[in-house]
Amino acid sequence: MVDQLHNIIRGCQEKKPEAQRALYDMFKAKMFGICLRYAGNYDDAQDIMQEGFVKVFEKIHQFRFSGAFEGWIRKVMVNTALEKYRLHYRQVPVDENTVGPEMEEDKNIGSDIDACILLKTIQELSPKYRIVFNLYALEGYTHKEIGELLHISEGTSKSNLSRARAILQEKVSKIYIKSVQTY
Amino acid sequence: MHENDKIDRYFREQLGSFEQSPPDATWNAIAQKLDKTKRKGIMLLLFRIAAGMAILISTGIGYYLIHQPDKSTTAPKVAFNEKSAVTGINKVSTLPGKPSGNLSSNQLQHNKPAREIRTDREHVLDNVQIESTVKEKPIIESIIPVQAYAFYGFAPVPIEGRKAAHLQMMLSNDMSLAQQRRSDTITEEEAIALVMAEYNEAFSDELPSPERKQRWILGSEVAPLYSSRTINSGSLEQETLDNLNKSESGILAYAGGVRIAYATSKRLSIQSGLYYSRYGQKKNDAQVYNMNYAGSPTLSDVDVLLSVTNSTGIISGSGETGIGNTAVTNDLGVSAENSNHKDLMSYNMSNDAESAEGVVLKQYFDYFEVPLILKYKMIDRKIDVSFSGGLVTNFLIGNKVDMIMDGKSYDIGETSDINEINYSGSFGLGLEYPLVTNFDLTLEPRFRYYLNSIDKSSQLLVHPYSFGFFAGINYRF
């Protein structure tokens, strides 16, 4: 499997169209899943996906086979999403000192909510909350790193994360209650 | 915080490995963009080659047009205004048995209508004016300038004031002598040569330097130069470009080489040669961290890990610097394209307070260069002034990255992902001063700009440029 991937990557480094298609088919579902999390809607996710894969093919000659390729391609996708965010949402005012409400313990979080519904709750967040939540909760970045990535302060990153959590918590709770009531 | 972790973990578990297939149209759009990028790259290269050719051709045409009138420069027909001065000359011109109508066909060929001649020869003598016909033309009038110039290999020059008066005097006196001698053995050409020789002797210090017969030039030159680069991008944000420009700057480097030139005419020459040049740039915002490699078998033998976001190529380490357990980066949170970043983020780092400040990374690029330059001499005096322009092919023969830390320089690696063959345009304004016979001292400020991006990425276009002050010596042969 690894050898097959490396052969495909080498083919892409030589700009062979069949190798590019094979690589796309191999990672398209995973990468589109990431794009959907960072985008506000399906169309934006498609745009990120397109730009991200074009970058992957343009930059793939830089891949030195020293690390995991999936991590590399994932990072390209995330960075593409961030560039798009910076491009379109840099004018969005930032609440520097607003710290969101602390989370209250909620036992309603269940494991049976459909992933697509959860995805929708993330997409409905405002861009600044969505990006920070994705980077922190799902990618594992620290607030310092997020601040440097988005050119905001650590405090703003924490504030945005806190607000995102509160909104998500509220929405998940409502979804859960609604699903219980239907039974 | 526990609840916060809970919601984070919940979403991570539910969406961390979420997958969904994109619509089929997505791939078609990607394939189209890739094809467009490829075509754009080819078109850009063709455009730059065409631009270079246009410069060369326009320079050539410009030269041709400027020099075309010189081709019509042939024998001027002159006559002295002042009757007093004409006397002697007329005697010569009407030598017994040598009427003007007996001019040799060669001489007659030099005689062109006055209208044409005036444009080239208005300045011949203060008190000499051009006649419009060959009829009754004294031999001396037809022959002197051309034959004299041709005989001595001089370029035609104005003869004015004192020189003209002296020439008239000589002609009056010496041509009479020549006439007398002619009755015995002397020919007209010899008589004229005698006159011009005397004239030359009298004004040897004021004569123009003989036209240089040497057409080949072999020279060498060296230069200190300042090199930097321009960057632009069709896809990156201006803010990103601004940040790169703020954190990077040019460096002082050097160049040198040998050249060979061939003068196709007095003013135009074409030259080539082989040069060695070192260009580069520096990154001023690097930071150094101590890294903890404990438990990292894959990194235990790496002493410097690099993750630097920069404009030109990828800075990658050689792993043999001897510094040990160090990470160099200018941004802990970015560089998705740099796979080292993943490794860098995986290990504990402690900021080394002593070495974090004032760390500079210098990227050096070494080239062999083969120029094809056209040089046009604008001023042809004791100190010549020339304009030169042309194309240069640059072959990358090496590169390295030095880290300057605490006043010490460390060779930490090299720049990858840069083109090995590049093309640049070159423009210079040169001075040339004769030192001794056949040797000239040359000084030339020269600007060079890369016509193609040296970075292989099509996302960021990096065009190095340099400004150097070349000094050298030419040998003419």
Side-chain angles (χ1 to χ4, degrees):
Chain A
M1 186 66 181
V2 174
D3 286 344
Q4 187 194 356
L5 175 62
H6 282 189
N7 286 337
I8 291 173
I9 293 169
R10 287 194 183 92
C12 292
Q13 289 175 336
E14 293 165 12
K15 299 191 185 299
K16 291 180 179 173
E18 63 274 14
Q20 291 174 333
R21 181 61 201 250
L23 190 82
Y24 174 79
D25 286 340
M26 193 175 277
F27 289 99
K28 63 180 179 184
K30 280 182 184 173
M31 295 307 121
F32 195 55
I34 293 169
C35 295
L36 284 167
R37 278 200 283 112
Y38 279 88
N41 55 55
Y42 195 80
D43 288 342
D44 285 352
Q46 277 193 74
D47 288 345
I48 295 169
M49 181 82 166
Q50 287 172 18
E51 287 178 28
F53 262 98
V54 169
K55 276 187 190 173
V56 165
F57 292 131
E58 284 178 350
K59 292 278 186 179
I60 200 165
H61 56 273
Q62 296 175 3
F63 183 70
R64 305 285 182 237
F65 300 95
S66 57
F69 182 74
E70 188 175 329
W72 185 83
I73 193 172
R74 183 190 181 96
K75 223 159 188 48
V76 174
M77 288 295 164
V78 171
N79 261 30
T80 306
L82 294 182
E83 280 177 18
K84 210 165 182 61
Y85 164 77
R86 289 196 206 106
L87 193 64
H88 294 290
Y89 300 108
R90 75 170 96 178
Q91 302 303 328
V92 175
V94 176
D95 303 326
E96 287 287 344
N97 300 312
T98 306
V99 177
E102 282 297 309
M103 293 290 293
E104 292 177 6
E105 187 171 358
D106 193 326
K107 296 183 172 59
N108 288 337
I109 294 177
S111 58
D112 52 352
I113 299 176
D114 187 82
C116 288
I117 295 173
L118 285 180
L119 183 67
K120 196 165 185 308
T121 61
I122 290 184
Q123 287 182 337
E124 286 171 351
L125 290 172
S126 77
K128 59 182 179 181
Y129 299 152
R130 183 172 63 243
I131 294 289
V132 171
F133 183 77
N134 265 304
L135 289 172
Y136 187 92
L138 284 97
E139 306 289 345
Y141 283 80
T142 65
H143 285 296
K144 186 184 175 191
E145 291 161 2
I146 294 169
E148 289 169 349
L149 274 173
L150 303 180
H151 306 300
I152 58 176
S153 68
E154 282 186 58
T156 303
S157 176
K158 286 177 184 172
S159 165
N160 289 351
L161 176 67
S162 181
R163 187 69 193 136
R165 281 172 174 158
I167 295 168
L168 289 172
Q169 173 79 37
E170 188 182 346
K171 286 188 175 182
V172 168
S173 298
K174 283 180 182 172
I175 292 165
Y176 181 74
I177 291 166
K178 196 176 177 182
S179 65
V180 168
Q181 287 173 344
T182 55
Y183 283 104
Chain B
M1 292 300 290
H2 175 69
E3 284 70 33
N4 293 342
D5 291 341
K6 199 173 175 181
I7 189 89
D8 290 356
R9 193 170 62 249
Y10 176 69
F11 272 87
R12 193 159 48 240
E13 286 169 357
Q14 296 297 311
L15 294 177
S17 55
F18 176 74
E19 295 183 11
Q20 184 172 328
S21 284
D24 292 340
T26 308
W27 169 252
N28 296 334
I30 292 168
Q32 274 183 3
K33 280 190 179 178
L34 289 174
D35 190 45
K36 202 174 173 182
T37 307
K38 197 175 176 182
R39 281 188 204 168
K40 196 176 171 184
I42 292 170
M43 289 302 293
L44 198 62
L45 183 63
L46 288 175
F47 174 77
R48 283 174 180 152
I49 291 171
M53 293 296 290
I55 292 170
L56 285 175
I57 291 169
S58 56
T59 307
I61 290 172
Y63 166 77
Y64 176 77
L65 292 175
I66 289 168
H67 280 71
Q68 202 158 15
D70 285 350
K71 291 179 180 176
S72 64
T73 303
T74 53
K77 295 174 292 181
V78 294
F80 293 102
N81 268 343
E82 296 174 21
K83 294 293 180 188
S84 59
V86 167
T87 311
I89 297 172
N90 283 340
K91 286 178 184 173
V92 174
S93 65
T94 55
L95 287 170
K98 281 280 181 183
S100 59
N102 287 347
L103 284 171
S104 69
S105 59
N106 192 32
Q107 290 162 352
L108 284 172
Q109 282 170 3
H110 289 299
N111 295 326
K112 294 204 168 182
R115 186 172 46 79
E116 290 178 35
I117 296 164
R118 283 195 65 83
T119 57
D120 302 324
R121 280 277 166 263
E122 288 175 328
H123 53 263
V124 172
L125 293 173
D126 284 344
N127 52 354
V128 170
Q129 66 179 200
I130 297 161
E131 289 189 352
S132 60
T133 175
V134 181
K135 194 178 178 183
E136 297 180 359
K137 185 117 260 0
I139 293 172
I140 188 65
E141 294 171 12
S142 302
I143 295 173
I144 283 176
V146 172
Q147 297 287 39
Y149 295 147
F151 187 86
Y152 289 97
F154 294 154
V157 291
I159 305 171
E160 297 172 336
R162 186 169 66 89
K163 287 189 258 182
H166 186 84
L167 180 59
Q168 287 176 29
M169 183 187 72
M170 287 194 304
L171 288 171
S172 302
N173 299 331
D174 294 354
M175 293 308 282
S176 299
L177 176 63
Q179 182 188 8
Q180 291 170 9
R181 287 176 180 173
R182 176 164 187 75
S183 61
D184 300 323
T185 56
I186 199 165
T187 64
E188 291 134 0
E189 288 81 4
E190 287 169 336
I192 291 161
L194 280 170
V195 172
M196 292 312 297
E198 191 172 341
Y199 170 78
N200 290 339
E201 191 176 346
F203 291 97
S204 59
D205 58 328
E206 298 179 37
L207 285 170
S209 58
E211 187 176 8
R212 289 164 187 170
K213 301 277 185 183
Q214 300 92 345
R215 287 188 175 274
W216 287 96
I217 294 168
L218 188 63
S220 67
E221 57 184 352
V222 293
L225 51 85
Y226 173 80
S227 83
S228 187
R229 86 288 177 275
T230 62
I231 54 172
N232 55 71
S233 171
S235 56
L236 293 180
E237 292 177 48
Q238 187 58 42
E239 185 183 352
T240 306
L241 300 180
D242 290 344
N243 287 336
L244 285 170
N245 282 328
K246 278 179 195 167
S247 63
E248 295 177 1
S249 57
I251 63 168
L252 287 176
Y254 53 86
V258 292
R259 65 179 163 198
I260 185 155
Y262 178 76
T264 58
S265 68
K266 189 182 171 189
R267 289 187 182 271
L268 187 72
S269 63
I270 184 166
Q271 70 179 46
S272 186
L274 183 63
Y275 286 74
Y276 166 81
S277 292
R278 165 166 280 190
Y279 300 123
Q281 62 187 65
K282 61 184 177 184
K283 184 118 190 108
N284 303 310
D285 63 343
Q287 291 175 299
V288 174
Y289 296 85
N290 286 331
M291 287 191 72
N292 176 14
Y293 289 142
S296 168
T298 56
L299 289 177
S300 59
D301 58 344
V302 178
D303 58 359
V304 170
L305 189 61
L306 292 162
S307 179
V308 180
T309 303
N310 61 311
S311 64
T312 309
I314 300 170
I315 296 177
S316 50
S318 61
E320 297 173 351
T321 65
I323 304 171
N325 291 358
T326 304
V328 180
T329 183
N330 66 326
D331 197 336
L332 281 174
V334 289
S335 190
E337 292 80 5
N338 193 335
S339 56
N340 282 338
H341 177 69
K342 182 171 170 290
D343 297 327
L344 199 151
M345 294 301 295
S346 306
Y347 298 95
N348 296 326
M349 292 179 290
S350 60
N351 197 328
D352 185 330
E354 289 184 2
S355 52
E357 298 294 328
V359 177
V360 173
L361 301 182
K362 287 187 176 179
Q363 292 176 273
Y364 294 108
F365 308 107
D366 300 327
Y367 291 96
F368 270 150
E369 300 180 329
V370 180
L372 182 61
I373 304 289
L374 282 177
K375 191 170 188 178
Y376 178 73
K377 194 178 288 182
M378 294 182 293
I379 298 175
D380 185 17
R381 291 285 184 271
K382 191 161 189 176
I383 297 178
D384 300 337
V385 180
S386 310
F387 171 79
S388 64
L391 285 174
V392 183
T393 308
N394 312 76
F395 300 92
L396 182 71
I397 55 169
N399 81 80
K400 68 168 187 168
V401 179
D402 283 355
M403 179 171 72
I404 314 299
M405 183 173 69
D406 297 337
K408 292 179 183 175
S409 179
Y410 302 89
D411 182 355
I412 60 167
E414 61 180 20
T415 304
S416 58
D417 220 38
I418 50 177
N419 288 317
E420 294 182 349
I421 299 178
N422 303 281
Y423 303 95
S424 54
S426 176
F427 305 96
L429 190 66
L431 303 176
E432 203 171 298
Y433 179 80
L435 284 177
V436 290
T437 309
N438 291 351
F439 282 92
D440 298 325
L441 176 68
T442 62
L443 294 170
E444 182 175 337
R446 195 178 297 161
F447 178 74
R448 188 165 289 178
Y449 182 78
Y450 275 56
L451 301 174
N452 63 294
S453 172
I454 66 165
D455 194 297
K456 284 183 177 175
S457 162
S458 58
Q459 194 177 29
L460 190 62
L461 303 177
V462 182
H463 296 267
Y465 65 84
S466 67
F467 183 81
F469 198 81
F470 285 78
I473 290 178
N474 278 350
Y475 171 68
R476 285 179 277 106
F477 61 98

